[in-house]
Amino acid sequence: MNIEQAVSAAVAGLQLGNTFTFDDLLRSVQDQRHRRVRVIELADLDTHDGLCALWLATDTDDLVLHARTDSTLHRQQFVLHEFAHMILGHCDGDDCPAVDMLLPNIPPRTRGRLLRRQDLDSETEIAAESLADQLAAGIRGSVFAEWAFSEIFG
């Protein structure tokens, strides 16, 4: 399956339609993964070092840790990119090839999964960014639909 097909199948699998809110997406990802997803801003995480966000899977939760930014859209893209990795099943199970540079002393079975953007040209990263873009478009569509409705009928 190519990247475009994988992304299209992932969007369809969410069963959210063309427009949805961030909260709708969050619930769908949690339902799909059968676990809680928590989004946490880390003030000490610096985007200048090339690390915008990472996904850490524990035994019970998925944690999306992201850098602080003044741009709501930028922050949303950080988080949606990590959601995309979850939705696409990147590194599910014990076969994750990602190098753990942040938590080297924690065994794989304990930390579950850690993924950060390392090779932006890899198929995995391209697919995640493509899906994140589609998710952002769905969220924007929801915001615009709500705004247009209230402008006309409010």
Side-chain angles (χ1 to χ4, degrees), residues 44-104:
D44 294 336
L45 196 59
D46 189 356
T47 60
H48 293 96
D49 295 331
L51 182 61
C52 303
L54 56 94
W55 162 30
L56 175 64
T58 69
D59 289 338
T60 58
D61 295 343
D62 286 313
L63 307 173
V64 175
L65 310 173
H66 67 85
R68 184 188 171 330
T69 178
D70 292 331
S71 169
T72 302
L73 291 176
H74 203 194
R75 181 175 44 255
Q76 177 180 288
Q77 195 68 16
F78 295 164
V79 173
L80 294 179
H81 181 92
E82 300 309 321
F83 280 14
H85 281 300
M86 292 177 208
I87 295 164
L88 292 167
H90 295 161
C91 290
D92 279 346
D94 296 329
D95 299 331
C96 186
V99 177
D100 182 2
M101 300 189 324
L102 297 176
L103 304 171

Short mmCIF file of all heavy atoms in Angstrom, two decimals, residues 44-104:
data_model
loop_
_atom_site.label_atom_id
_atom_site.label_comp_id
_atom_site.label_asym_id
_atom_site.label_seq_id
_atom_site.Cartn_x
_atom_site.Cartn_y
_atom_site.Cartn_z
N ASP A 44 10.32 23.11 28.78
CA ASP A 44 11.76 22.99 28.54
C ASP A 44 12.10 22.37 27.19
O ASP A 44 13.28 22.34 26.81
CB ASP A 44 12.41 22.16 29.64
CG ASP A 44 12.36 22.85 30.99
OD1 ASP A 44 12.26 24.11 31.01
OD2 ASP A 44 12.39 22.16 32.01
N LEU A 45 11.12 21.87 26.48
CA LEU A 45 11.36 21.30 25.16
C LEU A 45 11.54 22.44 24.18
O LEU A 45 10.71 23.34 24.10
CB LEU A 45 10.18 20.41 24.75
CG LEU A 45 10.39 19.44 23.61
CD1 LEU A 45 11.52 18.47 23.92
CD2 LEU A 45 9.10 18.67 23.37
N ASP A 46 12.63 22.44 23.45
CA ASP A 46 12.98 23.56 22.58
C ASP A 46 12.96 23.15 21.12
O ASP A 46 13.71 22.26 20.71
CB ASP A 46 14.37 24.08 22.96
CG ASP A 46 14.72 25.38 22.25
OD1 ASP A 46 13.94 25.85 21.41
OD2 ASP A 46 15.80 25.92 22.57
N THR A 47 12.11 23.79 20.32
CA THR A 47 12.00 23.46 18.90
C THR A 47 13.28 23.78 18.14
O THR A 47 13.51 23.24 17.07
CB THR A 47 10.83 24.22 18.24
OG1 THR A 47 11.05 25.62 18.37
CG2 THR A 47 9.50 23.83 18.86
N HIS A 48 14.13 24.62 18.69
CA HIS A 48 15.40 24.96 18.02
C HIS A 48 16.34 23.77 17.96
O HIS A 48 17.24 23.72 17.13
CB HIS A 48 16.07 26.14 18.71
CG HIS A 48 15.29 27.42 18.57
ND1 HIS A 48 14.42 27.85 19.53
CD2 HIS A 48 15.21 28.30 17.55
CE1 HIS A 48 13.85 28.97 19.13
NE2 HIS A 48 14.30 29.28 17.93
N ASP A 49 16.12 22.81 18.83
CA ASP A 49 16.91 21.58 18.82
C ASP A 49 16.36 20.55 17.84
O ASP A 49 16.89 19.45 17.75
CB ASP A 49 16.97 20.97 20.22
CG ASP A 49 17.70 21.87 21.20
OD1 ASP A 49 18.59 22.63 20.77
OD2 ASP A 49 17.36 21.83 22.40
N GLY A 50 15.29 20.89 17.16
CA GLY A 50 14.69 19.99 16.18
C GLY A 50 13.65 19.05 16.76
O GLY A 50 13.11 18.22 16.05
N LEU A 51 13.37 19.16 18.01
CA LEU A 51 12.38 18.29 18.64
C LEU A 51 11.14 19.12 18.96
O LEU A 51 11.16 19.98 19.84
CB LEU A 51 12.95 17.67 19.92
CG LEU A 51 12.05 16.71 20.66
CD1 LEU A 51 11.69 15.51 19.78
CD2 LEU A 51 12.73 16.22 21.93
N CYS A 52 10.07 18.88 18.22
CA CYS A 52 8.82 19.61 18.41
C CYS A 52 7.87 18.85 19.31
O CYS A 52 7.15 19.44 20.10
CB CYS A 52 8.15 19.85 17.07
SG CYS A 52 9.17 20.72 15.89
N ALA A 53 7.84 17.56 19.13
CA ALA A 53 6.91 16.72 19.89
C ALA A 53 7.40 15.28 19.85
O ALA A 53 8.19 14.91 18.98
CB ALA A 53 5.51 16.81 19.29
N LEU A 54 6.91 14.51 20.78
CA LEU A 54 7.19 13.09 20.77
C LEU A 54 6.02 12.35 21.38
O LEU A 54 5.22 12.92 22.11
CB LEU A 54 8.49 12.76 21.50
CG LEU A 54 8.65 13.20 22.95
CD1 LEU A 54 8.24 12.08 23.89
CD2 LEU A 54 10.09 13.58 23.19
N TRP A 55 5.94 11.10 21.02
CA TRP A 55 4.88 10.24 21.51
C TRP A 55 5.54 9.19 22.39
O TRP A 55 6.45 8.48 21.97
CB TRP A 55 4.16 9.63 20.34
CG TRP A 55 3.32 8.42 20.60
CD1 TRP A 55 2.66 8.09 21.75
CD2 TRP A 55 3.05 7.37 19.68
NE1 TRP A 55 1.99 6.91 21.59
CE2 TRP A 55 2.21 6.44 20.33
CE3 TRP A 55 3.42 7.13 18.37
CZ2 TRP A 55 1.75 5.29 19.70
CZ3 TRP A 55 2.97 6.00 17.75
CH2 TRP A 55 2.14 5.08 18.41
N LEU A 56 5.07 9.11 23.60
CA LEU A 56 5.56 8.11 24.54
C LEU A 56 4.39 7.24 24.93
O LEU A 56 3.38 7.73 25.42
CB LEU A 56 6.14 8.81 25.79
CG LEU A 56 6.59 7.92 26.94
CD1 LEU A 56 7.75 7.02 26.50
CD2 LEU A 56 6.99 8.77 28.13
N ALA A 57 4.52 5.96 24.67
CA ALA A 57 3.45 5.02 25.02
C ALA A 57 3.87 4.28 26.28
O ALA A 57 4.93 3.67 26.33
CB ALA A 57 3.20 4.04 23.89
N THR A 58 3.04 4.36 27.29
CA THR A 58 3.27 3.61 28.52
C THR A 58 2.38 2.37 28.47
O THR A 58 1.69 2.13 27.48
CB THR A 58 2.94 4.46 29.76
OG1 THR A 58 1.53 4.67 29.82
CG2 THR A 58 3.69 5.78 29.74
N ASP A 59 2.35 1.61 29.54
CA ASP A 59 1.50 0.43 29.58
C ASP A 59 0.02 0.78 29.52
O ASP A 59 -0.79 -0.04 29.09
CB ASP A 59 1.78 -0.40 30.84
CG ASP A 59 3.13 -1.07 30.79
OD1 ASP A 59 3.66 -1.27 29.67
OD2 ASP A 59 3.67 -1.39 31.87
N THR A 60 -0.33 1.99 29.95
CA THR A 60 -1.75 2.35 30.05
C THR A 60 -2.17 3.54 29.21
O THR A 60 -3.34 3.66 28.85
CB THR A 60 -2.13 2.65 31.51
OG1 THR A 60 -1.29 3.72 31.99
CG2 THR A 60 -1.95 1.44 32.39
N ASP A 61 -1.25 4.45 28.90
CA ASP A 61 -1.59 5.70 28.22
C ASP A 61 -0.67 5.97 27.05
O ASP A 61 0.45 5.46 27.00
CB ASP A 61 -1.44 6.90 29.18
CG ASP A 61 -2.40 6.89 30.34
OD1 ASP A 61 -3.40 6.16 30.28
OD2 ASP A 61 -2.14 7.61 31.31
N ASP A 62 -1.15 6.82 26.15
CA ASP A 62 -0.31 7.42 25.12
C ASP A 62 -0.11 8.87 25.53
O ASP A 62 -1.09 9.59 25.79
CB ASP A 62 -0.98 7.37 23.75
CG ASP A 62 -0.96 5.99 23.14
OD1 ASP A 62 0.11 5.34 23.17
OD2 ASP A 62 -2.01 5.55 22.63
N LEU A 63 1.13 9.30 25.62
CA LEU A 63 1.44 10.68 25.98
C LEU A 63 2.03 11.38 24.77
O LEU A 63 2.97 10.88 24.16
CB LEU A 63 2.47 10.71 27.12
CG LEU A 63 2.15 9.89 28.36
CD1 LEU A 63 3.33 9.90 29.32
CD2 LEU A 63 0.90 10.40 29.04
N VAL A 64 1.47 12.53 24.43
CA VAL A 64 2.04 13.38 23.40
C VAL A 64 2.64 14.57 24.12
O VAL A 64 1.93 15.38 24.70
CB VAL A 64 1.00 13.83 22.36
CG1 VAL A 64 1.62 14.82 21.37
CG2 VAL A 64 0.42 12.63 21.63
N LEU A 65 3.95 14.63 24.11
CA LEU A 65 4.68 15.72 24.75
C LEU A 65 5.09 16.69 23.64
O LEU A 65 5.66 16.26 22.64
CB LEU A 65 5.90 15.17 25.48
CG LEU A 65 5.64 13.99 26.41
CD1 LEU A 65 6.95 13.43 26.95
CD2 LEU A 65 4.71 14.39 27.55
N HIS A 66 4.80 17.98 23.83
CA HIS A 66 5.12 18.92 22.77
C HIS A 66 5.78 20.18 23.32
O HIS A 66 5.61 20.54 24.48
CB HIS A 66 3.88 19.27 21.94
CG HIS A 66 2.85 20.05 22.69
ND1 HIS A 66 2.89 21.42 22.80
CD2 HIS A 66 1.76 19.65 23.39
CE1 HIS A 66 1.85 21.83 23.52
NE2 HIS A 66 1.16 20.77 23.89
N ALA A 67 6.55 20.82 22.44
CA ALA A 67 7.23 22.05 22.79
C ALA A 67 6.23 23.19 22.90
O ALA A 67 5.16 23.17 22.29
CB ALA A 67 8.27 22.39 21.73
N ARG A 68 6.60 24.19 23.64
CA ARG A 68 5.78 25.39 23.77
C ARG A 68 5.97 26.25 22.51
O ARG A 68 7.06 26.35 21.99
CB ARG A 68 6.22 26.19 25.00
CG ARG A 68 5.34 27.39 25.24
CD ARG A 68 5.85 28.29 26.32
NE ARG A 68 5.23 29.54 26.51
CZ ARG A 68 4.62 30.32 25.62
NH1 ARG A 68 4.49 29.95 24.41
NH2 ARG A 68 4.10 31.48 25.95
N THR A 69 4.88 26.79 22.04
CA THR A 69 4.92 27.72 20.92
C THR A 69 3.77 28.70 21.08
O THR A 69 2.73 28.36 21.65
CB THR A 69 4.83 27.00 19.56
OG1 THR A 69 4.82 27.96 18.51
CG2 THR A 69 3.59 26.14 19.46
N ASP A 70 3.97 29.91 20.60
CA ASP A 70 2.91 30.91 20.65
C ASP A 70 1.86 30.70 19.56
O ASP A 70 0.79 31.27 19.62
CB ASP A 70 3.50 32.33 20.53
CG ASP A 70 4.34 32.70 21.74
OD1 ASP A 70 4.04 32.18 22.84
OD2 ASP A 70 5.28 33.49 21.58
N SER A 71 2.17 29.88 18.59
CA SER A 71 1.27 29.63 17.47
C SER A 71 0.37 28.42 17.75
O SER A 71 0.85 27.29 17.88
CB SER A 71 2.08 29.37 16.19
OG SER A 71 1.24 28.88 15.17
N THR A 72 -0.91 28.68 17.82
CA THR A 72 -1.87 27.60 18.03
C THR A 72 -1.81 26.59 16.89
O THR A 72 -1.86 25.37 17.11
CB THR A 72 -3.30 28.17 18.14
OG1 THR A 72 -3.32 29.10 19.23
CG2 THR A 72 -4.32 27.08 18.39
N LEU A 73 -1.68 27.07 15.65
CA LEU A 73 -1.61 26.17 14.49
C LEU A 73 -0.35 25.31 14.53
O LEU A 73 -0.39 24.12 14.20
CB LEU A 73 -1.67 26.97 13.19
CG LEU A 73 -3.01 27.62 12.89
CD1 LEU A 73 -2.92 28.46 11.62
CD2 LEU A 73 -4.11 26.58 12.75
N HIS A 74 0.76 25.90 14.92
CA HIS A 74 2.01 25.15 15.02
C HIS A 74 1.88 24.05 16.08
O HIS A 74 2.26 22.90 15.85
CB HIS A 74 3.14 26.12 15.36
CG HIS A 74 4.49 25.64 14.97
ND1 HIS A 74 5.64 26.22 15.43
CD2 HIS A 74 4.90 24.62 14.18
CE1 HIS A 74 6.68 25.58 14.95
NE2 HIS A 74 6.26 24.61 14.18
N ARG A 75 1.35 24.40 17.24
CA ARG A 75 1.14 23.44 18.32
C ARG A 75 0.21 22.31 17.85
O ARG A 75 0.46 21.14 18.10
CB ARG A 75 0.57 24.14 19.56
CG ARG A 75 0.35 23.23 20.74
CD ARG A 75 -0.09 23.98 22.00
NE ARG A 75 -1.11 24.99 21.78
CZ ARG A 75 -0.89 26.31 21.79
NH1 ARG A 75 0.31 26.79 22.00
NH2 ARG A 75 -1.88 27.16 21.57
N GLN A 76 -0.86 22.69 17.16
CA GLN A 76 -1.80 21.69 16.66
C GLN A 76 -1.09 20.73 15.71
O GLN A 76 -1.31 19.52 15.78
CB GLN A 76 -2.96 22.37 15.94
CG GLN A 76 -3.94 21.39 15.33
CD GLN A 76 -5.08 22.11 14.64
OE1 GLN A 76 -5.93 22.69 15.29
NE2 GLN A 76 -5.09 22.07 13.33
N GLN A 77 -0.23 21.24 14.84
CA GLN A 77 0.46 20.37 13.89
C GLN A 77 1.40 19.42 14.62
O GLN A 77 1.51 18.26 14.24
CB GLN A 77 1.21 21.20 12.84
CG GLN A 77 1.65 20.39 11.64
CD GLN A 77 0.49 19.91 10.78
OE1 GLN A 77 -0.63 20.38 10.87
NE2 GLN A 77 0.76 18.95 9.92
N PHE A 78 2.08 19.89 15.68
CA PHE A 78 2.94 19.00 16.49
C PHE A 78 2.12 17.81 16.96
O PHE A 78 2.52 16.66 16.83
CB PHE A 78 3.46 19.71 17.74
CG PHE A 78 4.38 20.87 17.56
CD1 PHE A 78 4.61 21.72 18.63
CD2 PHE A 78 5.03 21.12 16.37
CE1 PHE A 78 5.47 22.79 18.52
CE2 PHE A 78 5.89 22.20 16.25
CZ PHE A 78 6.11 23.05 17.33
N VAL A 79 0.98 18.12 17.57
CA VAL A 79 0.14 17.09 18.19
C VAL A 79 -0.48 16.18 17.13
O VAL A 79 -0.47 14.95 17.28
CB VAL A 79 -0.93 17.75 19.08
CG1 VAL A 79 -1.92 16.72 19.60
CG2 VAL A 79 -0.27 18.50 20.24
N LEU A 80 -0.99 16.76 16.06
CA LEU A 80 -1.62 15.95 15.01
C LEU A 80 -0.62 15.01 14.36
O LEU A 80 -0.97 13.89 13.97
CB LEU A 80 -2.29 16.85 13.97
CG LEU A 80 -3.48 17.65 14.48
CD1 LEU A 80 -4.05 18.52 13.36
CD2 LEU A 80 -4.56 16.76 15.08
N HIS A 81 0.62 15.43 14.23
CA HIS A 81 1.65 14.57 13.65
C HIS A 81 1.84 13.32 14.53
O HIS A 81 1.93 12.20 14.02
CB HIS A 81 2.97 15.34 13.52
CG HIS A 81 4.07 14.54 12.92
ND1 HIS A 81 4.33 14.54 11.57
CD2 HIS A 81 4.98 13.71 13.49
CE1 HIS A 81 5.36 13.73 11.32
NE2 HIS A 81 5.76 13.21 12.48
N GLU A 82 1.86 13.51 15.83
CA GLU A 82 2.01 12.36 16.73
C GLU A 82 0.75 11.50 16.73
O GLU A 82 0.83 10.28 16.77
CB GLU A 82 2.37 12.83 18.14
CG GLU A 82 3.68 13.60 18.21
CD GLU A 82 4.87 12.92 17.56
OE1 GLU A 82 5.00 11.68 17.67
OE2 GLU A 82 5.69 13.62 16.94
N PHE A 83 -0.43 12.14 16.69
CA PHE A 83 -1.67 11.37 16.54
C PHE A 83 -1.61 10.52 15.27
O PHE A 83 -2.05 9.37 15.26
CB PHE A 83 -2.88 12.30 16.45
CG PHE A 83 -3.39 12.83 17.75
CD1 PHE A 83 -2.67 12.74 18.93
CD2 PHE A 83 -4.63 13.44 17.80
CE1 PHE A 83 -3.16 13.24 20.13
CE2 PHE A 83 -5.15 13.95 18.99
CZ PHE A 83 -4.41 13.84 20.16
N ALA A 84 -1.09 11.10 14.20
CA ALA A 84 -1.00 10.37 12.93
C ALA A 84 -0.16 9.11 13.07
O ALA A 84 -0.51 8.06 12.53
CB ALA A 84 -0.45 11.29 11.83
N HIS A 85 0.96 9.21 13.79
CA HIS A 85 1.77 8.01 14.02
C HIS A 85 0.94 6.94 14.74
O HIS A 85 0.99 5.76 14.39
CB HIS A 85 3.01 8.33 14.86
CG HIS A 85 4.12 8.95 14.11
ND1 HIS A 85 4.75 8.34 13.04
CD2 HIS A 85 4.73 10.16 14.27
CE1 HIS A 85 5.71 9.12 12.59
NE2 HIS A 85 5.71 10.25 13.31
N MET A 86 0.14 7.35 15.73
CA MET A 86 -0.71 6.40 16.45
C MET A 86 -1.73 5.77 15.51
O MET A 86 -1.92 4.55 15.51
CB MET A 86 -1.45 7.12 17.58
CG MET A 86 -0.60 7.59 18.70
SD MET A 86 -1.65 8.48 19.89
CE MET A 86 -0.45 9.59 20.59
N ILE A 87 -2.42 6.61 14.76
CA ILE A 87 -3.49 6.16 13.86
C ILE A 87 -2.94 5.20 12.81
O ILE A 87 -3.58 4.19 12.47
CB ILE A 87 -4.19 7.36 13.21
CG1 ILE A 87 -4.92 8.20 14.27
CG2 ILE A 87 -5.14 6.92 12.10
CD1 ILE A 87 -5.29 9.60 13.79
N LEU A 88 -1.76 5.49 12.30
CA LEU A 88 -1.15 4.66 11.26
C LEU A 88 -0.49 3.41 11.83
O LEU A 88 -0.03 2.55 11.07
CB LEU A 88 -0.14 5.49 10.46
CG LEU A 88 -0.75 6.59 9.60
CD1 LEU A 88 0.33 7.55 9.11
CD2 LEU A 88 -1.53 5.99 8.43
N GLY A 89 -0.45 3.30 13.15
CA GLY A 89 0.12 2.10 13.78
C GLY A 89 1.63 2.04 13.72
O GLY A 89 2.21 0.96 13.83
N HIS A 90 2.28 3.19 13.57
CA HIS A 90 3.73 3.20 13.53
C HIS A 90 4.29 2.80 14.89
O HIS A 90 3.94 3.35 15.92
CB HIS A 90 4.26 4.60 13.15
CG HIS A 90 3.89 4.99 11.77
ND1 HIS A 90 3.91 6.30 11.35
CD2 HIS A 90 3.48 4.27 10.70
CE1 HIS A 90 3.54 6.36 10.09
NE2 HIS A 90 3.26 5.13 9.68
N CYS A 91 5.11 1.82 14.88
CA CYS A 91 5.80 1.31 16.06
C CYS A 91 4.87 0.67 17.08
O CYS A 91 5.18 0.66 18.27
CB CYS A 91 6.64 2.40 16.72
SG CYS A 91 8.06 2.85 15.73
N ASP A 92 3.75 0.14 16.63
CA ASP A 92 2.93 -0.66 17.54
C ASP A 92 3.66 -1.97 17.78
O ASP A 92 4.32 -2.50 16.90
CB ASP A 92 1.55 -0.94 16.95
CG ASP A 92 0.61 0.23 17.12
OD1 ASP A 92 0.92 1.14 17.91
OD2 ASP A 92 -0.45 0.24 16.46
N GLY A 93 3.54 -2.50 18.95
CA GLY A 93 4.19 -3.76 19.29
C GLY A 93 5.64 -3.56 19.64
O GLY A 93 6.08 -2.48 20.02
N ASP A 94 6.44 -4.60 19.49
CA ASP A 94 7.85 -4.57 19.89
C ASP A 94 8.80 -4.33 18.73
O ASP A 94 10.01 -4.42 18.89
CB ASP A 94 8.22 -5.91 20.55
CG ASP A 94 7.45 -6.13 21.83
OD1 ASP A 94 7.14 -5.14 22.52
OD2 ASP A 94 7.17 -7.31 22.14
N ASP A 95 8.26 -4.02 17.54
CA ASP A 95 9.10 -3.91 16.35
C ASP A 95 9.52 -2.49 16.03
O ASP A 95 9.91 -2.21 14.91
CB ASP A 95 8.37 -4.49 15.14
CG ASP A 95 8.04 -5.96 15.33
OD1 ASP A 95 8.80 -6.63 16.04
OD2 ASP A 95 7.04 -6.42 14.77
N CYS A 96 9.44 -1.57 16.96
CA CYS A 96 9.75 -0.17 16.70
C CYS A 96 11.24 0.03 16.49
O CYS A 96 12.03 -0.23 17.39
CB CYS A 96 9.26 0.73 17.83
SG CYS A 96 9.46 2.47 17.44
N PRO A 97 11.64 0.52 15.30
CA PRO A 97 13.06 0.73 15.03
C PRO A 97 13.57 2.08 15.52
O PRO A 97 14.73 2.39 15.37
CB PRO A 97 13.13 0.66 13.51
CG PRO A 97 11.82 1.22 13.07
CD PRO A 97 10.82 0.74 14.11
N ALA A 98 12.69 2.91 16.09
CA ALA A 98 13.12 4.25 16.52
C ALA A 98 14.21 4.14 17.57
O ALA A 98 14.16 3.33 18.47
CB ALA A 98 11.94 5.03 17.08
N VAL A 99 15.22 4.98 17.44
CA VAL A 99 16.30 5.01 18.40
C VAL A 99 15.86 5.85 19.59
O VAL A 99 15.41 6.97 19.45
CB VAL A 99 17.56 5.63 17.76
CG1 VAL A 99 18.68 5.74 18.78
CG2 VAL A 99 18.00 4.81 16.56
N ASP A 100 15.98 5.30 20.78
CA ASP A 100 15.58 6.02 21.98
C ASP A 100 16.77 6.82 22.50
O ASP A 100 17.66 6.28 23.12
CB ASP A 100 15.09 5.04 23.03
CG ASP A 100 14.61 5.74 24.27
OD1 ASP A 100 14.64 6.99 24.30
OD2 ASP A 100 14.22 5.05 25.20
N MET A 101 16.74 8.12 22.20
CA MET A 101 17.85 8.97 22.61
C MET A 101 17.53 9.70 23.91
O MET A 101 18.41 10.25 24.54
CB MET A 101 18.18 9.96 21.50
CG MET A 101 18.57 9.21 20.26
SD MET A 101 19.25 10.08 18.85
CE MET A 101 18.47 11.60 18.70
N LEU A 102 16.28 9.74 24.30
CA LEU A 102 15.90 10.50 25.49
C LEU A 102 15.82 9.65 26.75
O LEU A 102 16.05 10.15 27.84
CB LEU A 102 14.54 11.18 25.26
CG LEU A 102 14.52 12.20 24.14
CD1 LEU A 102 13.10 12.74 23.96
CD2 LEU A 102 15.47 13.34 24.43
N LEU A 103 15.48 8.38 26.59
CA LEU A 103 15.28 7.51 27.75
C LEU A 103 16.07 6.21 27.59
O LEU A 103 15.52 5.12 27.61
CB LEU A 103 13.79 7.21 27.92
CG LEU A 103 12.87 8.42 28.03
CD1 LEU A 103 11.42 7.99 27.96
CD2 LEU A 103 13.14 9.18 29.30
N PRO A 104 17.39 6.30 27.46
CA PRO A 104 18.18 5.10 27.15
C PRO A 104 18.20 4.06 28.25
O PRO A 104 18.47 2.89 27.97
CB PRO A 104 19.58 5.67 26.90
CG PRO A 104 19.61 6.94 27.68
CD PRO A 104 18.21 7.48 27.61
#
